[in-house]
């Protein structure tokens, strides 16, 4: 959680650039999606997946301490966003850490008291890899207008109806909004995942203009 005194505010789905500079002057910049809903405290929450061989994430997840400073640029982005004025059905599809900007949308919906119906299809390796598990469960329990479906690619819970595997056309057809409802779809994750999911959505009759995508590169930065 970062306190940004001059933060201009953001819209769910936007991201920021974080710059770290070493004592020898070397600097590295990474892009991270904003996980928090807009708030009056001018605080920005980032969810960073620590990568053992990463250049930036180990510092952010293990060394960054309260009162430390980082350089921040943003908010950035205007296409892959959900605005509280939207009332149409919303379909969210996340792969791994691609859940972060979609979580900002879910949180923004709750904070705004929106009644727009949301569905989330979340693909993860195994149950222990789910981000925001308790929060997602609580939200779906409290609000029938928010439904969450999981797809496990490597290990599924005992008794899970679907064997481990990647998302496919049948899963998309069975868990997402019917295209006749004209949902706006947001897909975020690794590039192959996003391309496959977007293709399945199109095959189900969704207008390509209603499918918004955000791709992540191997280091966790956006491309």
């Amino acid at each position: 959680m970062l306190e940004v005194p001059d933060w201009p505010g953001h819209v769910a789905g936007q991201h920021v650039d974080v710059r770290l500079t070493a004592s020898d002057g070397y600097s590295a910049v990474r892009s991270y999606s904003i996980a928090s809903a807009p708030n009056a405290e001018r605080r920005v929450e980032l969810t960073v997946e620590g990568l053992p061989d990463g250049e930036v994430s180990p510092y952010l997840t293990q060394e960054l301490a309260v009162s430390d400073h980082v350089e921040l640029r943003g908010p950035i982005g205007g296409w892959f966003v959900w605005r509280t004025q939207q009332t149409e059905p919303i379909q969210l599809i996340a792969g791994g850490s691609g859940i972060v900007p979609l979580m900002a949308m879910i949180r923004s919906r709750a904070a705004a008291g929106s009644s727009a119906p949301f569905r989330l299809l979340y693909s993860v390796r195994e149950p222990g890899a789910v981000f925001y598990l308790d929060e997602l469960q609580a939200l779906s329990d409290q609000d029938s207008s928010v439904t969450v479906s999981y797809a496990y690619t490597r290990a599924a819970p005992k008794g899970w109806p679907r064997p481990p595997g990647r998302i496919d056309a049948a899963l998309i057809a069975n868990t997402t909004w019917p295209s006749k409802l004209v949902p706006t779809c947001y897909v975020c994750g690794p590039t192959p995942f996003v391309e496959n999911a977007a293709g399945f959505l199109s095959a189900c009759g969704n207008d390509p203009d209603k499918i918004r995508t955000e791709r992540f590169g191997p280091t966790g930065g956006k491309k």
Side-chain angles (χ1 to χ4, degrees):
M1 183 72 76
L2 304 175
E3 291 187 354
V4 190
D6 58 350
W7 186 246
H10 67 277
V11 180
Q14 291 185 307
H15 64 278
V16 295
D17 284 345
V18 176
R19 178 190 296 273
L20 301 179
T21 304
S23 57
D24 62 1
Y26 175 76
S27 66
V29 179
R30 294 290 184 273
S31 295
Y32 293 104
S33 293
I34 301 170
S36 50
N39 58 82
E41 293 79 15
R42 297 186 177 182
R43 292 181 176 178
V44 178
E45 178 183 331
L46 308 179
T47 300
V48 180
E49 183 175 17
L51 303 176
D53 57 349
E55 189 176 44
V56 173
S57 65
Y59 175 80
L60 293 178
T61 57
Q62 301 172 29
E63 299 183 37
L64 189 68
V66 174
S67 79
D68 284 349
H69 288 75
V70 297
E71 292 182 69
L72 203 69
R73 185 175 73 92
I76 302 168
W79 169 246
F80 192 81
V81 296
W82 178 79
R83 303 180 187 277
T84 55
Q85 301 94 320
Q86 293 177 235
T87 58
E88 76 278 7
I90 299 298
Q91 181 64 55
L92 309 176
I93 301 180
S97 59
I99 185 64
V100 179
L102 308 186
M103 194 66 200
M105 297 178 188
I106 292 172
R107 289 170 168 173
S108 294
R109 176 193 181 278
S114 169
S115 59
F118 272 43
R119 285 186 180 179
L120 167 65
L121 173 58
Y122 189 4
S123 175
V124 290
R125 294 186 301 273
E126 57 189 5
V130 176
F131 288 35
Y132 317 114
L133 176 61
D134 293 341
E135 185 176 356
L136 285 171
Q137 185 63 54
L139 281 170
S140 59
D141 287 346
Q142 295 166 7
D143 189 344
S144 59
S145 295
V146 179
T147 61
V148 182
S149 301
Y150 293 98
Y152 301 99
T153 60
R154 295 184 184 175
K158 185 177 180 180
W160 195 254
R162 183 177 185 268
R166 297 181 179 181
I167 61 170
D168 54 25
L171 182 66
I172 293 291
N174 292 330
T175 61
T176 63
W177 292 111
S179 59
K180 65 182 180 181
L181 298 180
V182 196
T184 299
C185 305
Y186 299 87
V187 186
C188 187
T191 296
F193 172 88
V194 170
E195 291 177 347
N196 286 336
F200 293 141
L201 287 169
S202 293
C204 286
N206 291 280
D207 188 329
D209 289 339
K210 299 289 286 184
I211 303 172
R212 304 186 181 190
T213 61
E214 189 84 286
R215 296 166 171 80
F216 281 74
T219 63
K222 291 185 177 60
K223 287 188 175 179

